[in-house]
Amino acid sequence: MFNKQLLGNNKVQNYGNSVGGFLFKWETKDSLGNMWTPETNFYLDWYGRYPILFNHGRHPDVGLEKLGTIYEIRKTEEGLMLIGSLDPESQWYEAICVLKDKDSLLWGASPVQHLASSEGGVWLSYPIAELSLVNIGPENFKNTISIETVDPLPSLSAEKQRELELDPNS
């Protein structure tokens, strides 16, 4: 679920085949009202590298196909920074580049839910299970290549999308 405060914080930065940007900025609240801090334990030492997925692996055509690799995750003064690269051999590479060039992608993460914990509105533990490029723009794969797709924001009503200024018809 998206939070208006998050939308400007975790935009995917465009560096050619490389992608980067902040996954979370410190003191930013999520949709549950919890915020990440430099003290949040992300268990970054659990995995060497993370695959880059699209829309958390829920796109009906892309599914769990790996679009690239995150090769560096680090805590900075501002937040949790990701650096990775897209795989030009992926059948989805051109479509992802169109979305990236249109500034329509955010970073998203899912924790190992049963191990994530918060107290007093602060994430204490947020073990990252997967990292995704999430389409927030009005563009979708249907407009870039000839395949069917799902609504890029299926969990948000049209009214909520307008409120967050994500609906192109508003």
Side-chain angles (χ1 to χ4, degrees):
M1 186 169 293
F2 294 101
N3 172 323
K4 191 170 186 174
Q5 185 180 5
L6 283 175
L7 291 176
N9 289 334
N10 56 348
K11 286 269 186 172
V12 172
Q13 300 301 308
N14 189 346
Y15 307 111
N17 283 352
S18 295
V19 288
F22 286 99
L23 178 60
F24 307 120
K25 287 211 174 176
W26 308 137
E27 313 299 323
T28 301
K29 291 186 179 183
D30 66 7
S31 59
L32 300 174
N34 295 322
M35 66 181 163
W36 296 274
T37 71
E39 290 75 37
T40 302
N41 191 345
F42 296 99
Y43 295 88
L44 298 177
D45 59 338
W46 280 9
Y47 307 104
R49 295 181 176 203
Y50 286 86
I52 299 172
L53 302 179
F54 183 72
N55 283 355
H56 303 288
R58 294 183 177 169
H59 189 280
D61 296 310
V62 181
L64 293 172
E65 184 171 327
K66 179 180 165 183
L67 302 175
T69 302
I70 297 294
Y71 53 82
E72 185 176 351
I73 304 176
R74 66 174 180 241
K75 289 183 177 183
T76 71
E77 290 181 11
E78 294 181 66
L80 192 64
M81 170 72 80
L82 304 176
I83 302 171
S85 61
L86 296 175
D87 179 1
E89 299 298 316
S90 167
Q91 67 177 322
W92 309 109
Y93 178 77
E94 289 181 29
I96 292 296
C97 286
V98 167
L99 295 174
K100 183 175 62 133
D101 292 344
K102 291 183 181 218
D103 204 24
S104 294
L105 296 171
L106 293 180
W107 286 110
S110 296
V112 179
Q113 198 64 46
H114 65 285
L115 300 177
S117 66
S118 64
E119 185 177 297
V122 175
W123 283 111
L124 303 175
S125 171
Y126 197 88
I128 296 173
E130 64 87 16
L131 296 165
S132 286
L133 295 172
V134 179
N135 181 6
I136 60 149
E139 300 83 13
N140 55 37
F141 279 142
K142 183 169 46 181
N143 296 331
T144 56
I145 55 179
S146 298
I147 61 171
E148 292 300 312
T149 189
V150 296
D151 180 351
L153 295 169
S155 62
L156 297 180
S157 67
E159 180 179 316
K160 189 67 169 173
Q161 289 183 38
R162 279 190 296 280
E163 178 186 323
L164 297 176
E165 302 173 304
L166 298 174
D167 186 338
N169 301 318
S170 62

